[in-house]
C-alpha cells in the first residue's frame, strides 16, 4: 500500500560497482549495518567488506549469510569494541598492517537509551561509543583513506540530533543524566564532527557526510522495555533494516555525491540540520575537547 511505500522512504538508485574497493562498516553484525554490508558486498565479487563489531559470533553469522547470498567471499569480520580505546587502536593497527587501501568508512555502530554507564576509558556510554569511539577510529584510519582517495566517510547520525546539545560543563552526564537526551547529544556530536571533518579535509578528495536512517525496526532500542514494546506495536510504521540502510548506501556509493561533503542526508536527499548542528564554533570546540579526552593531536 502507498502508506507502506511512504514509510519505506527513499531508495538508493545507484548501480555503482565496488570491484577492488575496501569498505569498513562498524556494527554491521545486525540491523542497518548488516543490510548496508549486504548491499555493498553485492556490488562486486572483489569488493572487500569488513564488518567491524564487538560480537564476533554474531558478526560471523552475518558474514557467512552475506557471503552465501552474494557470492562475495571477501566479507570479513574483525573485532572492534568502540567502548574501549585499546580495542579501537588494536583494530586500526591490524587493519593498517593487512590492508593497503580503504575507500569507504561507514561509522554505523551505536548505542541508544543505555542506563547510565561508562566506557572502559570513563566516557559516558552514548558519547563514548557513538562519538568518541568513531572519532578515534576515523583519526587512526585517515591517512589510509587519503592515500586511497577518492574516499568517503559516512557517519550515521539521527533526526534525534535536533534534541541534542553539547554540554561541555557535563559531557559525561555526571551532574545530570537522561538516557534519551544522552542519545540526542551524541547524535548532535556526529553531525558536528562531520561538519568540522569535512572542513579540514577540503582538497583531499576524501568526503565526509552524515545521515538520518529513519525510524528503523531494529535492536537499537533493546535497553528500553517501553520502546521495545512500542516498536513492536508500531512496526508497520517503521522502516525495515533494509529500508533504513538506503541512505547509508546512498552516501557510500552514489556518483552524484563524488565531491559533496559536510552535508546531512535523509531518505537519500539533503535534509534539514538543526541550528546547533550548524554551529561552527561548537564544532571546533568539540573537536579539541575530543582530542584532549582521547589524548591525540589531530591538526
Amino acid at each position: 500500500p502507498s502508506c507502506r511505500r511512504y514509510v519505506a522512504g527513499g531508495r538508493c538508485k545507484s548501480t555503482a560497482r565496488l570491484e577492488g574497493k575496501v569498505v569498513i562498516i562498524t556494527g554491521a553484525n545486525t540491523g542497518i549495518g548488516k543490510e548496508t554490508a549486504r548491499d555493498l558486498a553485492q556490488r562486486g565479487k572483489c569488493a572487500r567488506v569488513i564488518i567491524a563489531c564487538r560480537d564476533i559470533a554474531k558478526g560471523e553469522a552475518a558474514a557467512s549469510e552475506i557471503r552465501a547470498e552474494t557470492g562475495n567471499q571477501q566479507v570479513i569480520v574483525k573485532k572492534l569494541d568502540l567502548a574501549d580505546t585499546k580495542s579501537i587502536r588494536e583494530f586500526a593497527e591490524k587493519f593498517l598492517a593487512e590492508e593497503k587501501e580503504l575507500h569507504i568508512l561507514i561509522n554505523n555502530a551505536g548505542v541508544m537509551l543505555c542506563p547510565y554507564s561508562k566506557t572502559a576509558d570513563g566516557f559516558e556510554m552514548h558519547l563514548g561509543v557513538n562519538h568518541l569511539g568513531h572519532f578515534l577510529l576515523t583519526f587512526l584510519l585517515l591517512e589510509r583513506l587519503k592515500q586511497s582517495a577518492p574516499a568517503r566517510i559516512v557517519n550515521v547520525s539521527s533526526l534525534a540530533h535536533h534534541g541534542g546539545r553539547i554540554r561541555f560543563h557535563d559531557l559525561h552526564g555526571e551532574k545530570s543524566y537522561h538516557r534519551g537526551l544522552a542519545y540526542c547529544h551524541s547524535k548532535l556530536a556526529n553531525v558536528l564532527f562531520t561538519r568540522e571533518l569535512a572542513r579540514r579535509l577540503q582538497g583531499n578528495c576524501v568526503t565526509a557526510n552524515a545521515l538520518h536512517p529513519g525510524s528503523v525496526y531494529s535492536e537499537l532500542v533493546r535497553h528500553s522495555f517501553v520502546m521495545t514494546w512500542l516498536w513492536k506495536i508500531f512496526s508497520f510504521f517503521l522502516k525495515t533494516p533494509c529500508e533504513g540502510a538506503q541512505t547509508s548506501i546512498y552516501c557510500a556509493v552514489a556518483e552524484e555525491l563524488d565531491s559533496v561533503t559536510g552535508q546531512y542526508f535523509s531518505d537519500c536527499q539533503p535534509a534539514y540540520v538543526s541550528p546547533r548542528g550548524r554551529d561552527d564554533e561548537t564544532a571546533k570546540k568539540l573537536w579539541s575537547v575530543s582530542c584532549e579526552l582521547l589524548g591525540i593531536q589531530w591538526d
Side-chain angles (χ1 to χ4, degrees):
S2 58
C3 166
R4 188 69 210 109
R5 264 206 308 280
Y6 175 76
V7 170
R11 285 197 82 78
C12 175
K13 297 186 175 74
S14 167
T15 55
R17 304 296 289 163
L18 295 178
E19 296 292 355
K21 301 283 194 224
V22 181
V23 183
I24 292 174
I25 309 173
T26 66
N29 55 328
T30 180
I32 66 173
K34 180 178 166 186
E35 295 307 323
T36 304
R38 191 194 309 271
D39 181 285
L40 301 188
Q42 274 165 344
R43 292 173 182 267
K45 293 275 188 286
C46 301
R48 274 175 90 68
V49 178
I50 294 163
I51 291 177
C53 62
R54 196 179 46 192
D55 188 329
I56 292 292
K58 270 193 183 173
E60 285 298 352
S64 65
E65 182 189 310
I66 293 169
R67 286 193 291 263
E69 192 185 305
T70 63
N72 181 342
Q73 297 310 304
Q74 308 269 326
V75 181
I76 302 149
V77 180
K78 299 282 181 202
K79 180 151 178 76
L80 170 67
D81 182 355
L82 287 157
D84 184 351
T85 58
K86 190 163 157 282
S87 169
I88 299 169
R89 288 180 180 280
E90 279 167 9
F91 169 85
E93 207 173 301
K94 280 192 187 131
F95 173 84
L96 295 171
E98 290 164 11
E99 304 285 344
K100 292 294 155 260
E101 294 186 294
L102 175 57
H103 304 95
I104 302 169
L105 170 61
I106 303 180
N107 290 318
N108 161 82
V111 293
M112 180 178 178
L113 304 174
C114 304
Y116 189 75
S117 55
K118 288 190 166 175
T119 68
D121 303 270
F123 308 140
E124 186 276 314
M125 192 60 74
H126 292 90
L127 185 81
V129 171
N130 299 354
H131 168 61
L132 291 168
H134 283 127
F135 187 94
L136 178 60
L137 180 66
T138 306
F139 167 74
L140 295 170
L141 299 175
L142 194 63
E143 280 314 306
R144 191 58 38 97
L145 282 156
K146 285 181 184 171
Q147 290 158 9
S148 314
R152 300 185 185 193
I153 298 162
V154 178
N155 294 327
V156 178
S157 177
S158 166
L159 183 69
H161 84 270
H162 286 275
R165 48 175 33 166
I166 306 301
R167 302 165 68 245
F168 289 110
H169 64 286
D170 188 24
L171 269 184
H172 303 295
E174 284 154 333
K175 298 191 181 105
S176 74
Y177 180 76
H178 180 290
R179 57 192 188 167
L181 288 176
Y183 177 71
C184 295
H185 302 332
S186 72
K187 293 288 121 180
L188 173 61
N190 292 155
V191 172
L192 291 167
F193 168 46
T194 304
R195 190 175 177 90
E196 180 63 7
L197 180 61
R199 191 184 71 78
R200 288 164 175 259
L201 284 173
Q202 255 153 5
N204 274 300
C205 293
V206 179
T207 63
N209 290 299
L211 67 106
H212 166 56
S215 297
V216 181
Y217 192 63
S218 75
E219 290 175 23
L220 197 57
V221 293
R222 63 183 173 269
H223 291 292
S224 165
F225 171 76
V226 174
M227 287 292 279
T228 305
W229 183 72
L230 286 171
W231 246 223
K232 280 201 170 69
I233 293 175
F234 293 108
S235 61
F236 180 81
F237 299 103
L238 296 171
K239 292 186 179 190
T240 63
C242 177
E243 290 160 355
Q246 294 302 310
T247 308
S248 296
I249 296 162
Y250 174 75
C251 289
V253 304
E255 298 87 343
E256 65 267 31
L257 299 188
D258 275 345
S259 54
V260 172
T261 190
Q263 301 301 307
Y264 171 76
F265 294 87
S266 176
D267 279 329
C268 301
Q269 53 191 16
Y272 180 73
V273 177
S274 77
R276 286 198 187 104
R278 296 192 301 261
D279 186 331
D280 290 329
E281 286 317 300
T282 306
K284 289 186 177 75
K285 185 173 176 187
L286 178 64
W287 187 283
S288 66
V289 169
S290 301
C291 287
E292 252 168 71
L293 288 169
L294 293 163
I296 58 176
Q297 284 202 297
W298 188 353
D299 302 322

